[in-house]
């Protein structure tokens, strides 16, 4: 096999490990090395004969790479992107692009200045149900879209793994994470709505703190399209205990002719789907054909597909399927939603003060 | 004769006043002697960041009811501490806030203690022929009265989790997952070192195959006795639950002559309503699925998500 792209994995945590395993299966890609502070994570990569470093600067400075996959906590992303860009490496970056809009703009400015390319891993676009929904919409089968509702309610970082480990504390810090459920989960929904229906502005934003965290654990935002009069509703939450394979995600688009929902296309029983897809892959293996990686998990196959799309674009020199302008637009919407929520809270406080002043006990007789 | 009192809060959504009244009746029925008590520790089950609505953690309203009861029976000057230790995946500094215990303790003017911090004393006890050494916080060891407030729920590893397992949760060492290979001995040892004086089981929302609002409040004066009854409610044979069986052999409590007081609710009714769950079937099924998955990925070359591999 000809090696066309030599890649390094920056951050070998759960997502970095998955990207590493996926990248190893893409034709023409050589996973040269990985970097992580954690010895346990490095040992995991070494099991797959991947050379490791305890610092990503050593990995990048070794000078063996064409590209990096950056899978780091939000507060470390900017520094790593800057470092890789200065060394002329193309970048695949886990979503969200950054903690806030200003940081995202600096990162995009940097990759443009250094003349390297970067793609953000918004893998939800690659869910089979989302792709089918997009086809229906583009074929005009529901007419003109008028209202789009989207939901993603999971446990977020508050998930109890098979082998219990504490939630990394950066997740629960506004400074380090940049935000909560809206930035983590809303990012996917907003990205998909913009991708399917064009640009939006924020009309309403209400963020909740049911779990008393410094970051929001619930949120509803209402979006208005910039010209097509489509209303988009985004509901997100980190408050649910549900775990995979339960997956509380859906997008419904109501049009002038009919409606379409991702619920129409997801497998009824995840276990039956796993057996079916597994058998198909075994047949592909016997026939020496390419596997449909992770299709037995349904949702996880999107991680393979998006990283394959990244490497395919690098190999062919074509445009990335996900542009940085789109990702800046997502961050602009999220930034507006945070600001609007704060404004609404301060307005409500002022109204409360006015209600107290106007109350009969304080009013002049 | 050991005593277990079962009562219930009938009307949803379980008003605080009704919980107060159920807790008061249930503890009163134990006829506990509250003389000479200065330091009280209340140990809820805050195993993770899941709210009481999931049936996994102790409802703060039950703890509030106990605080009111203690102040009424013992006096306003009694020192009350609500205490929980860090766990393998849970940090109390977050759990206290997420689950509303910070606010609860502030409002009720009681102390809130992370049992993993401060003075920890290693205690050794014999379980069978083995010696088991476990670290416990002095706040717990020096208490005049320990009120154990567990949940009524099933557990994937050990089947039944109620009063005895809640004391396992009070071990100071955060990474209690390390004890899982020897969990039967460790649970029994923990309960030999830390003696629960009163158990108030929060069965408002129980957890078996799913959470269910049962509105049950159960009290006892012995954790093993309590758990024998709890196991029956959850359709387990307590003699076949290894740590209960071992605890019975080690005389942790009475298991034969139990005086069950059914106050306005029948044990049989609760048992019937409990969302039964077979952890054995779950374990076998989950283990089998993982083995099949590993075999499939090894043969096909497909990816096994790292979180399933560990």
């Amino acid at each position: 096999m000809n090696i066309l792209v030599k890649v390094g994995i920056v951050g070998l945590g759960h997502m970095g490990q998955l990207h590493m395993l996926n990248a190893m299966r893409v034709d023409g890609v050589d996973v040269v090395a990985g970097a992580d502070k954690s010895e346990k994570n490095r040992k995991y990569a070494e099991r797959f004969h991947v050379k490791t470093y305890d610092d990503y600067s050593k990995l990048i400075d070794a000078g063996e790479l064409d590209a990096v996959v950056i899978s780091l906590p939000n507060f470390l992303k900017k520094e790593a992107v800057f470092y890789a860009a200065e060394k002329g490496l193309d970048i695949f970056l886990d979503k969200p692009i950054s903690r806030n809009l200003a940081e995202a703009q600096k990162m995009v400015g940097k990759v443009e200045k250094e003349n390297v390319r970067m793609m953000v891993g918004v893998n939800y676009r690659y869910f089979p149900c989302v792709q089918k929904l997009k086809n229906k919409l583009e074929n005009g089968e529901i007419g003109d879209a008028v209202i789009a509702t989207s939901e993603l309610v999971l446990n977020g970082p508050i998930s109890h793994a098979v082998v219990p480990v504490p939630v990394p504390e950066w997740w629960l810090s506004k400074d380090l994470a940049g935000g909560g459920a809206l930035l983590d989960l809303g990012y996917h929904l907003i990205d998909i709505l913009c991708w399917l229906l064009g640009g939006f502005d924020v009309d309403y934003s209400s963020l909740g703190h049911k779990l008393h965290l410094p970051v929001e654990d619930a949120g509803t935002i209402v979006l208005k399209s910039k010209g097509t009069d489509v209303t988009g509703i985004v509901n997100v939450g980190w408050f649910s205990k549900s775990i995979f394979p339960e997956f509380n995600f859906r997008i419904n688009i109501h049009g002038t002719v009919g409606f379409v929902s991702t619920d129409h296309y997801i497998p009824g029983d995840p276990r039956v789907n796993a057996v079916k897809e597994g058998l198909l892959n075994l047949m592909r293996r016997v026939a020496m054909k390419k596997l449909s990686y992770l299709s037995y998990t349904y949702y996880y196959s999107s991680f393979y597909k998006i990283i394959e799309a990244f490497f395919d674009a690098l190999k062919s020199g074509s445009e990335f399927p996900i542009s940085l302008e789109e990702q800046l637009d997502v961050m602009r919407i999220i930034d507006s939603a945070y600001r609007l929520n704060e404004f609404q809270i301060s307005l409500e406080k002022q109204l409360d003060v006015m209600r107290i002043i106007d109350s009969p006990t304080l009013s002049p007789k | 004769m050991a005593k277990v009192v079962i009562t219930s809060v009938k009307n949803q959504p379980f008003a605080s006043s009704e919980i107060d009244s159920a807790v008061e009746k249930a503890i009163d029925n134990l006829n506990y002697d509250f003389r000479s008590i200065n330091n009280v520790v209340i140990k809820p089950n805050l195993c993770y960041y899941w709210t009481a609505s999931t049936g996994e953690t102790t409802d703060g309203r039950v703890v509030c009811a106990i605080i009111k009861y203690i102040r009424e029976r013992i006096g306003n000057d009694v020192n009350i501490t609500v205490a929980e230790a860090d766990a393998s995946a849970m940090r109390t500094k977050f759990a206290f806030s997420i689950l509303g215990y910070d606010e609860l303790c502030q409002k009720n003017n009681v102390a809130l203690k992370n049992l993993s911090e401060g003075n920890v004393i290693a205690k050794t006890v014999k379980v069978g022929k083995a010696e088991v050494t476990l670290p416990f916080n002095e706040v717990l060891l020096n208490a005049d009265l320990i009120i154990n407030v567990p949940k009524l729920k099933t557990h994937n590893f050990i089947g039944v989790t109620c009063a005895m397992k809640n004391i396992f949760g009070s071990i100071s060492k955060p990474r209690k997952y390390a004890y899982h290979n020897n969990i039967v001995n460790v649970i029994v040892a923990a309960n030999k070192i830390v003696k629960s004086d009163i158990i108030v089981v929060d069965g408002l929302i129980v957890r078996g195959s799913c959470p269910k609002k049962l509105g049950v409040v159960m009290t006892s004066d012995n954790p093993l006795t309590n758990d024998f009854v709890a196991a029956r409610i959850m359709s387990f044979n307590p003699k076949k639950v290894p740590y209960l069986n071992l605890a019975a052999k080690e005389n942790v409590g009475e298991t034969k002559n139990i005086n069950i007081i059914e106050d306005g609710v029948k044990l049989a009714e609760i048992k019937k309503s409990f969302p039964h769950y077979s952890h054995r079937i779950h374990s076998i099924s989950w283990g089998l699925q993982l083995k099949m998955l590993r075999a499939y990925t090894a043969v096909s070359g497909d990816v096994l998500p790292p979180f399933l591999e560990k």
Side-chain angles (χ1 to χ4, degrees):
Chain A
M1 184 175 68
N2 288 334
I3 299 301
L4 302 171
V5 182
K6 289 180 180 174
V7 67
I9 313 291
V10 175
L12 290 165
H14 168 57
M15 288 313 305
Q17 290 170 7
L18 185 63
H19 292 320
M20 180 189 78
L21 297 176
N22 284 336
M24 284 171 161
R25 287 163 172 82
V26 179
D27 287 342
V29 172
D30 182 18
V31 179
V32 175
D36 201 293
K37 295 271 183 215
S38 154
E39 189 185 354
K40 192 175 152 204
N41 289 346
R42 291 200 300 275
K43 276 190 178 159
Y44 179 85
E46 284 159 11
R47 276 177 45 202
F48 298 91
H49 312 292
V50 171
K51 193 162 61 179
T52 62
Y53 298 90
D54 60 4
D55 192 308
Y56 68 76
S57 63
K58 293 178 191 165
L59 163 73
I60 292 171
D61 291 345
E64 297 176 283
L65 307 177
D66 302 311
V68 282
V69 170
I70 297 178
S71 193
L72 291 173
N74 294 353
F75 68 99
L76 296 173
K77 283 178 176 171
K78 183 186 149 206
E79 188 189 308
V81 164
F82 271 51
Y83 201 84
E86 281 165 8
K87 303 289 173 178
L89 302 180
D90 292 319
I91 299 160
F92 178 91
L93 179 67
D94 269 344
K95 72 85 210 174
I97 184 170
S98 62
R99 289 175 290 183
N100 52 57
L101 178 61
E103 197 172 60
Q105 286 166 332
K106 283 178 193 159
M107 289 157 75
V108 171
K110 182 69 176 175
V111 297
E112 283 172 353
K113 184 184 162 206
E114 301 294 344
N115 201 24
V116 296
R117 301 201 293 160
M118 182 163 85
M119 185 171 121
V120 177
V122 278
N123 62 298
Y124 280 42
R125 289 195 194 186
Y126 289 82
F127 285 172
C129 57
V130 172
Q131 300 262 330
K132 284 177 184 162
L133 185 133
K134 187 170 192 288
N135 282 343
K136 278 260 185 189
L137 192 65
E138 286 176 349
N139 288 340
E141 290 177 45
I142 65 159
D144 288 340
V146 180
I147 297 171
T149 62
S150 61
E151 291 169 5
L152 185 53
V153 179
L154 305 170
N155 46 27
I158 305 170
S159 58
H160 197 295
V162 180
V163 176
V165 288
V167 175
E169 294 191 12
W170 70 267
W171 272 105
L172 308 178
S173 156
K174 175 84 179 158
D175 281 348
L176 299 180
L182 179 63
L183 184 61
D184 177 39
L185 304 178
Y187 195 99
H188 282 299
L189 300 180
I190 294 164
D191 175 69
I192 291 173
L193 292 184
C194 291
W195 180 52
L196 297 177
L197 301 164
F200 284 97
D201 285 321
V202 182
D203 211 34
Y204 171 81
S205 171
S206 172
L207 305 177
H209 293 259
K210 183 177 171 57
L211 304 179
H212 315 285
L213 296 171
V215 291
E216 78 284 354
D217 51 58
T220 294
I221 64 170
V222 178
L223 308 172
K224 273 282 178 197
S225 73
K226 284 176 175 168
T228 51
D229 205 25
V230 180
T231 301
I233 299 168
V234 174
N235 291 313
V236 289
W238 270 357
F239 50 81
S240 170
K241 184 176 170 274
S242 70
I243 55 164
F244 194 80
E246 280 179 50
F247 196 64
N248 194 358
F249 160 79
R250 66 194 49 77
I251 290 181
N252 305 313
I253 301 180
H254 305 268
T256 51
V257 176
F259 83 102
V260 64
S261 170
T262 49
D263 279 351
H264 296 161
Y265 306 116
I266 57 168
D269 185 329
R271 286 173 183 86
V272 171
N273 175 69
V275 171
K276 189 189 95 184
E277 291 296 326
L279 288 172
L280 283 171
N281 265 346
L282 289 171
M283 284 158 62
R284 289 184 189 110
R285 169 63 67 207
V286 171
M288 310 280 278
K289 287 186 177 168
K290 191 178 174 225
L291 302 192
S292 176
Y293 290 110
L294 286 161
S295 55
Y296 69 92
T297 64
Y298 192 75
Y299 295 106
Y300 270 67
S301 63
S302 61
F303 288 110
Y304 178 81
K305 286 175 186 162
I306 195 167
I307 213 153
E308 185 184 42
F310 169 75
F311 289 121
D312 283 349
L314 282 189
K315 286 183 283 182
S316 65
S318 58
E319 286 287 308
F320 284 141
I322 295 151
S323 76
L324 290 176
E325 288 72 27
E326 289 173 314
Q327 299 310 297
L328 283 178
D329 213 31
V330 173
M331 284 308 296
R332 182 187 56 76
I333 290 169
I334 288 172
D335 198 59
S336 301
Y338 280 127
R339 281 190 287 117
L340 188 58
N341 179 64
E342 277 169 23
F343 173 72
Q344 281 164 344
I345 289 169
S346 70
L347 196 65
E348 277 163 23
K349 279 182 186 162
Q350 284 177 35
L351 285 171
D352 282 345
V353 171
M354 285 164 71
R355 278 187 208 113
I356 292 166
I357 292 168
D358 287 346
S359 69
T361 49
L362 287 178
S363 297
K365 289 183 181 168
Chain B
M1 186 185 283
K3 208 185 264 184
V4 173
V5 181
I6 305 171
T7 186
S8 73
V9 180
K10 301 276 185 207
N11 303 313
Q12 287 191 33
F14 307 144
S16 293
S17 56
E18 290 184 49
I19 296 170
D20 291 351
S21 153
V23 166
E24 185 183 340
K25 272 199 300 176
I27 303 180
D28 270 348
N29 270 321
L30 294 176
N31 300 320
Y32 194 87
D33 181 0
F34 288 104
R35 281 175 296 181
S36 310
I37 287 168
N38 296 313
N39 295 308
V40 178
V41 171
I42 300 173
K43 164 66 175 76
N45 179 351
L46 309 181
C47 59
Y48 197 59
Y49 309 130
W50 297 313
T51 63
S53 65
T54 63
E56 300 279 1
T57 51
T58 302
D59 193 320
R61 293 172 303 172
V62 175
V63 173
C64 283
I66 294 167
I67 293 168
K68 278 183 203 165
Y69 181 90
I70 291 299
R71 288 206 167 123
E72 277 171 22
R73 291 293 180 277
I74 305 176
N76 281 329
D77 54 348
V78 64
N79 296 318
I80 302 175
T81 303
V82 176
E84 176 60 290
D86 289 336
S88 299
M90 181 276 286
R91 293 291 171 264
T92 50
K93 68 175 174 181
F94 295 122
F96 287 156
S97 163
I98 290 173
L99 303 176
Y101 276 75
D102 274 341
E103 201 182 332
L104 178 157
C105 289
Q106 209 174 354
K107 270 188 187 166
N108 288 280
N109 196 25
V110 299
L112 184 59
K113 175 74 184 168
N114 176 2
L115 294 171
S116 297
E117 289 174 354
N119 262 359
V120 170
I121 298 162
K123 289 275 180 185
T124 302
V125 72
K126 267 201 161 186
V127 177
K129 287 176 184 171
E131 282 196 338
V132 182
T133 302
L134 298 171
F136 284 98
N137 197 292
E138 66 172 4
V139 168
L140 198 61
L141 296 172
N142 294 340
D144 303 322
L145 179 73
I146 294 175
I147 305 183
N148 179 347
V149 198
K151 288 297 300 177
L152 188 63
K153 61 178 185 175
T154 56
H155 190 277
N156 282 343
F157 288 137
I158 55 166
V160 174
T161 172
C162 200
M164 288 190 67
K165 177 67 167 49
N166 196 33
I167 291 301
F168 170 84
S170 72
I171 298 171
S172 296
K173 179 174 172 159
R175 192 155 174 74
K176 286 181 260 292
Y177 192 71
Y179 295 125
H180 274 209
N181 285 337
N182 190 28
I183 195 161
V184 170
N185 278 355
V186 174
I187 292 175
V188 175
N191 281 274
K192 285 178 108 176
I193 297 166
V194 175
K195 305 257 168 64
S196 308
D197 299 295
I198 295 175
I199 294 98
V200 181
V201 180
D202 167 15
L204 295 178
I205 299 176
V206 298
R207 180 73 165 85
S209 57
C210 59
K212 190 166 181 186
K213 291 181 179 175
L214 282 195
V216 171
V217 173
M218 195 164 102
T219 56
S220 179
D221 48 14
N222 180 274
L224 179 61
T225 312
N226 177 84
D227 285 7
F228 254 62
V229 176
R232 286 193 192 121
I233 288 173
M234 294 185 270
S235 289
F236 285 84
N237 178 350
K239 289 176 186 163
K240 289 188 176 171
V241 176
Y243 74 87
L244 296 181
N245 193 29
L246 179 62
K249 283 180 188 162
E250 292 283 317
N251 297 317
V252 171
E254 179 62 63
T255 59
K256 285 178 185 138
N257 298 313
I258 305 175
N259 176 17
I260 300 175
I261 301 170
E262 296 167 305
D263 184 1
V265 64
K266 295 277 177 205
L267 189 145
E269 285 169 18
I270 300 168
K271 185 177 175 182
K272 201 174 160 190
S273 303
F274 191 88
H276 300 291
Y277 179 68
S278 169
H279 78 288
R280 189 167 290 173
I281 290 172
H282 171 89
S283 297
I284 293 169
S285 153
W286 177 240
L288 200 64
Q289 285 177 56
L290 272 182
K291 274 185 186 161
M292 284 170 63
L293 195 54
R294 285 182 184 135
Y296 158 72
T297 51
V299 171
S300 68
D302 204 343
V303 177
L304 182 64
F307 76 92
L308 285 176
E309 201 174 337
K310 287 165 188 167

